[in-house]
Each structure stands twice: as structure tokens, then as C-alpha cells.
Amino acid sequence: MSEELEAISIQEQFESVIQTEDKLRIREFLNNQNISDVAVLISEYDEFASQIISNMSMHRAVSVFKILDISFQKQIIKELPAYKSAELLNELAADDRTSFLEELPSEVVKELIKTLNPEERKITLSLLGYPEGSVGRLMTPDYIAVRNNWTMARVLEHIRTVGKDSETIDVIYVLNEMGQFVDDMRIREVILASPDKIVSDLIDNRYVFLKVTDDQEVANQIFKMNNRMALPVLDENHILLGIVTIDDVLWVANEEFSEDIQKIGGTEALDEPYLEMPLLKLFQKRIVWLVVLFLGEMLTATAMGYFEDEITKAVVLALFVPLIISSGGNSGSQASTLIIQAMAVGEIHVGDWWRVLRRELLSGLLLGSVLGIIGFLRVLVWSQFFPDVYGPYYLFIAIAVGVSLVGVVLWGTLSGSMLPLVLKRAGADPAVSSAPFVATMVDVTGLIIYFSVAYFFLRGLLL
């Protein structure tokens, strides 16, 4: 409750200060607030977004800008005076600036790059030259590098000289006489070491690194496995090109998670915030999958037509069609969602397909058996109260429904678990095997299983 009151108080103060139009008071107020609080003010009072940024000290403005949603960032750059936006972009860390520029149209990027100073322009163009989604787009060239033959005293002096411009000073990167990366050191080691100690005496040449061409998802996995705050980025010649920090990887993980959730829901990933995306573009993102799923469901009608004679002879079979296909679709959706999520966090790899198959085979049998027993008992009990609904062969109908549920749920579970692994093996995104896609596929095959089982048990009776 106290936090809510404090937030309300800050907003009330802001409204009071902004109405004075006194730049000195506005600047003093904003520079006394936490960075996160200023970001909240921008989201609450987006009409003042550019005014808030322009009235802050540049260092704090940059800190606020880089944690804002892309929609606010675009708005601010568009509304700021040219000289102010140039100053802001020049002050942004290279990796944050590259991430922002990636979201803009190419013609806008060209104009903004012109506003950068020569050094920052060179760095930005270099980062933008790497493939989209690669570690090269994520890295920053702002790091501290030392030589392996330096003393600790010289290392500390170097840190004092260049540390203020570095992304982090927690880790110091060591190069040999040819400029190649050989190891890294924690700042703790440097501070505690004797001033005359040589760098090469402290390092053990055991390190973790990223390749500049690695996918950003690879970086996410390596960070999780090694519990590091920053990792060096090397090229094929072992030259240190930059570093990637944990905060950048967390942003990537969040974006990847959002994309996967959208794909699992049966739509293409949105590359803009929902409310910022033009309606026609949103329509295009959604209609493709809807048409694909619609065409898939048309096969359901085809399957029903194939068993038209059986349905005509035993209309009662049609009563259980929704029950059968929904059970199969639900089990398939469950399995695909679990496997996609496990693959996303690195718990499952393509090589684990056999272990997954065995587990899902048992899971499918257990789940199908439970639903099959419930379906069997439902028909059995219902026939005691309404004997005319299922007729004299209610027991065989109950068996057909129960066995069909076991088969359909088992098939749905196996399909939902294997499809993401197959797509991954083929080089496609496993999230494409979304829940609606699996459900549609299982609907068609579920009908075939159901009517085949029904024909087996009711042949010579109702069929």
C-alpha cells in the first residue's frame, strides 16, 4: 500500500511541476527520481515523453530510454529536436542502439546513422552488418582489455582510465601479444592481487566464450549454464570483438518467449507491439494460420463423408464425435506445449526423441485409459436412465467409445510430442507445431480411429 501511495505522490508531483513549465524545476524533479519511476511516468503520460527525456541529464535520459518499450522509444526519437536525438543516440551503448535501430524501417535507420559521430557510426554499422538474431548484433565493444604481461598495478591504472566508458568492469579480458583472447579475470582477483603480480600468473586459460555468428538463443543457454554476468565474443581467429552482458540476454529471452507464445496460439510472431501494429498487418499475421487450419479442418468433413454409411446406419455414433476429437486435440495440445517449452529452456534436445517417445507412450496410455473408463461409464450409466438413446447394443457402443478414447488420446499425445522434435530436426521453429495445428491434425486422424474401432465392435450389430 505504501508503494502505491508513493507512486501516486510522484505522479501528483509531476502533474504539478509540469504545469509550471519551469524547465529548471522540471529538470530538478526528474533528476531526483529513480530511473524506473521516470519510465513509469513516461508510460502514464506519454504525451510528455519527449519533454521528460529532454529535461533530464543526458546520462540519466539514456538510462531511462533503454528500458522503455520500443513504441515509446520511437515516439521520443521522432519528437525530440534533431540535435537532442543525435546526442541521445550517441550516448546510448552500442548494443542498445543497435537493438533500437533494428526495429526501425531502413530509410529511418539511414537518416539516424548520419547523426552519429564517426566512431559510433563505425561501431553501429559494424554491429548491423552481422546476421539478424546473431550474437554479433547483441554485443557491445565497450569492455576493458589488458595484456597478459601487464602487472596488476598497470591493470588498475588502465581500469581507472577507461573504466567509465565500459559496459561493465566486473570482468577484465586478457589478450596476448598478438591481440588474441586468452582468458578473463574478475575484478575481485585484480583488487586482491599484489601490485607487482603479472596477469599471466593469475589466469588459468579456462574460459567460456561466444562466437560472433552464434544464434542469440545459444547465448541465452550458455549464460544459464555458466552463471556469468558477461561473456566475450570471439571471431574465427580468436580475436575479441566485444562482450555480451546478462541484461541484453534477458531482453532476448523475453522476446523469444513472446514469439513462442504467439506461435503456440496459432499466429505469426508480431514484430511490433499489439496496439501499435496497423490493423491490416495484424490481419495478415493471423489470416495465414487461420486459412491453413481451416483447410486442415476441411479434411474432417472429408473423413466424416467417408464414414457416411456407418453414420447413417448408426446415428448414435455421431453423438460422440465432438467428445472423441476434442479429447485427442486436447491431449495433443498439452503434449506439444510441454515439449516446446522444455526445448526452449534446454531441457530436451532432438537426440532425446526416444526417451520422450517412451514417456509419452506411457502417458498417453494412462491418460487415454482414464478418459476411456469415464467415457465407457458415461454410456453405461446413461443407458440405464434413457435406454432408448443407445438401444440394446449399448454395451458394445460403450466399449467402442472407451477404446476409441484410449487410441485417440494416445495418438494425440504421441503426435503432439514428436512433431516439435521433427520440426527442430528439419531446421524449422518447433513453436510452429502450435496447439491449434496439432489439434487440427488429430481431429482428422481421431475420426478415422473412432469409426474404425466402432466398425470393429459393432459390425454385424448396428453396422
Side-chain angles (χ1 to χ4, degrees), residues 29-240:
F29 170 77
L30 292 173
N31 285 332
N32 285 330
Q33 306 305 319
N34 292 327
I35 297 300
S36 57
D37 290 333
V38 178
V40 171
L41 285 176
I42 289 177
S43 63
E44 293 289 332
Y45 303 94
D46 58 325
E47 68 272 23
F48 295 111
S50 59
Q51 190 174 346
I52 291 173
I53 291 295
S54 61
N55 279 287
M56 298 181 70
S57 64
M58 187 50 61
H59 175 72
R60 288 174 57 80
V62 166
S63 298
V64 172
F65 183 84
K66 69 180 185 179
I67 65 172
L68 295 174
D69 290 339
I70 184 64
S71 57
F72 292 120
Q73 291 179 336
K74 290 179 180 179
Q75 176 187 338
I76 289 168
I77 291 297
K78 182 179 179 180
E79 295 177 357
L80 281 178
Y83 78 93
K84 202 72 176 179
S85 63
E87 186 180 1
L88 181 65
L89 289 174
N90 275 292
E91 285 293 323
L92 267 176
D95 54 338
D96 294 320
R97 182 170 56 240
T98 303
S99 297
F100 170 62
L101 293 177
E102 280 181 329
E103 303 293 335
L104 303 178
S106 57
E107 61 273 11
V108 177
V109 173
K110 291 177 183 177
E111 292 302 317
L112 291 178
I113 285 179
K114 292 178 184 178
T115 67
L116 301 176
N117 63 49
E119 182 62 27
E120 296 298 334
R121 186 185 308 154
K122 180 181 177 182
I123 293 170
T124 301
L125 288 173
S126 173
L127 294 179
L128 288 172
Y130 292 107
E132 186 174 353
S134 69
V135 167
R137 290 284 189 101
L138 204 58
M139 69 181 181
T140 175
D142 299 326
Y143 56 86
I144 298 177
V146 300
R147 296 289 183 177
N148 59 354
N149 58 356
W150 286 9
T151 63
M152 289 299 106
R154 185 173 179 183
V155 169
L156 284 171
E157 183 60 34
H158 183 66
I159 292 173
R160 295 188 189 99
T161 303
V162 303
K164 63 181 182 298
D165 298 320
S166 299
E167 180 86 0
T168 177
I169 63 170
D170 293 338
V171 184
I172 314 300
Y173 301 93
V174 183
L175 310 178
N176 62 19
E177 60 278 1
M178 294 181 292
Q180 294 175 313
F181 178 81
V182 292
D183 208 346
D184 51 30
M185 300 187 299
R186 303 294 178 92
I187 188 67
R188 174 187 176 91
E189 299 175 78
V190 177
I191 294 173
L192 297 179
S194 173
D196 58 352
K197 197 78 170 177
I198 304 298
V199 171
S200 57
D201 294 335
L202 292 179
I203 61 177
D204 57 9
N205 298 101
R206 292 185 297 180
Y207 52 85
V208 180
F209 70 97
L210 301 170
K211 295 178 183 178
V212 70
T213 53
D214 280 344
D215 190 274
Q216 292 175 1
E217 288 189 32
V218 173
N220 183 30
Q221 295 298 326
I222 293 177
F223 266 95
K224 285 197 299 185
M225 295 295 293
N226 293 279
N227 191 28
R228 301 294 294 271
M229 294 298 295
L231 286 175
V233 180
L234 311 181
D235 67 4
E236 64 275 7
N237 297 317
H238 234 59
I239 300 298
L240 180 61

Side-chain angles (χ1 to χ4, degrees), residues 119 252 310 314 328:
E119 182 62 27
V252 169
E310 285 76 5

Side-chain angles (χ1 to χ4, degrees), residues 97 235 260 298 395 409:
R97 182 170 56 240
D235 67 4
D260 287 346
M298 288 176 67
L395 180 61
V409 171

Side-chain angles (χ1 to χ4, degrees), residues 250-261:
L250 289 174
W251 279 106
V252 169
N254 182 61
E255 291 179 357
E256 293 291 340
F257 175 76
S258 297
E259 287 183 8
D260 287 346
I261 289 298

Side-chain angles (χ1 to χ4, degrees), residues 10 32 50 75 271-272 317:
I10 292 173
N32 285 330
S50 59
Q75 176 187 338
D271 47 17
E272 296 179 52
L317 293 178

